[in-house]
Amino acid sequence: MQSDEQLELYGAWAERWPADAAELLDGYSGAWWVGGGWAIDTALGRERPHGDIDIVIPRSELSLLRGWLGGKWQLWCAFQGALKPLLTHDSDVLPIGTTSIWLRRSAYGLWEYEVLLDPSDGETWRFRRDTAVTLPIDEALVTKDSIRYAKPEIVLAYAAAEHADVEWLDEALPALDAEARAWLAERLADDHPWRKRLQAPQA
């Protein structure tokens, strides 16, 4: 969810669901999937509103996405706590530190989608924080209702840098089998408080 400071600086987000993303990208030829909290909730078998929705695409396919959107959307680069418009005539050389693109229809509209730029491609998933960590793309994603989602251990591997409290992890634990817990534990620093919780015997 947005903080009051973020809301004041950048404006609000529209409520969007995975089905909305699927409609936006219906017929799109590039790879995409849903990450973030939506992916966790899908693995847990529940649906609830979120503050935003994360669409993930391979970074190498940004031009393809821009072509699909056809100039009907404003694209803004999110980098180092700042936003910069990615104009129609700009190249795909992004500001250093850009990890996502925010989409809205106009300056008068709400933000609608955050597009995360991933080092993966259509065949291989790569961990952005350590690209030597890879999986076949079909092992990194799960499909529900024709929409692909990141597996929960992958979402948590990214979230671990921001969430150290074990209570936050506990909510997602029912979605992780023993193999997923072991994989996630390997991605964590030795002193991360999640490691002991992940390595504890399952009830």
Side-chain angles (χ1 to χ4, degrees):
M1 299 295 289
Q2 284 180 287
S3 68
D4 291 341
E5 182 180 9
Q6 290 174 322
L7 186 64
E8 182 70 23
L9 284 173
Y10 303 124
W13 286 80
E15 182 178 304
R16 291 291 176 264
W17 294 65
D20 297 316
E23 182 177 356
L24 173 69
L25 297 171
D26 184 25
Y28 173 62
S29 61
W32 70 275
W33 57 93
V34 174
W38 278 110
I40 297 287
D41 278 355
T42 297
L44 291 169
R46 67 188 184 191
E47 291 186 353
R48 58 178 178 173
H50 287 257
D52 61 6
I53 184 168
D54 297 336
I55 299 172
V56 189
I57 68 166
R59 191 183 188 97
S60 61
E61 294 183 359
L62 177 57
S63 290
L64 186 63
L65 179 66
R66 293 178 72 183
W68 173 259
L69 296 175
K72 299 176 182 178
W73 293 75
Q74 289 187 353
L75 283 70
W76 289 70
C77 306
F79 66 104
Q80 300 176 357
L83 288 174
K84 178 182 178 181
L86 182 60
L87 302 176
T88 303
H89 60 270
D90 284 348
S91 73
D92 289 338
V93 177
L94 305 178
I96 294 173
T98 300
T99 58
S100 68
I101 303 293
W102 292 15
L103 303 184
R104 66 182 181 184
R105 297 175 192 269
S106 76
Y108 304 102
L110 301 173
W111 299 106
E112 297 193 41
Y113 301 97
E114 182 173 10
V115 179
L116 304 182
L117 304 176
D118 202 78
S120 305
D121 57 40
E123 297 183 356
T124 304
W125 175 82
R126 294 180 176 84
F127 189 32
R128 189 170 63 246
R129 297 204 172 106
D130 180 359
T131 54
V133 177
T134 65
L135 289 170
I137 197 73
D138 289 339
E139 293 182 17
L141 308 178
V142 63
T143 302
K144 181 180 181 183
D145 298 330
S146 301
I147 299 172
R148 296 198 298 178
Y149 297 84
K151 286 188 173 178
E153 61 267 32
I154 287 174
V155 176
L156 292 167
Y158 285 117
E162 301 172 6
H163 299 281
D165 55 290
V166 176
E167 290 78 9
W168 197 92
L169 171 67
D170 280 345
E171 187 176 1
L173 273 179
L176 304 180
D177 60 19
E179 184 178 353
R181 290 181 184 213
W183 184 91
L184 176 57
E186 290 179 5
R187 309 281 82 79
L188 304 177
D190 290 343
D191 60 348
H192 198 288
W194 287 7
R195 286 184 69 91
K196 289 184 179 179
R197 184 69 181 88
L198 289 166
Q199 294 166 346
Q202 291 181 258

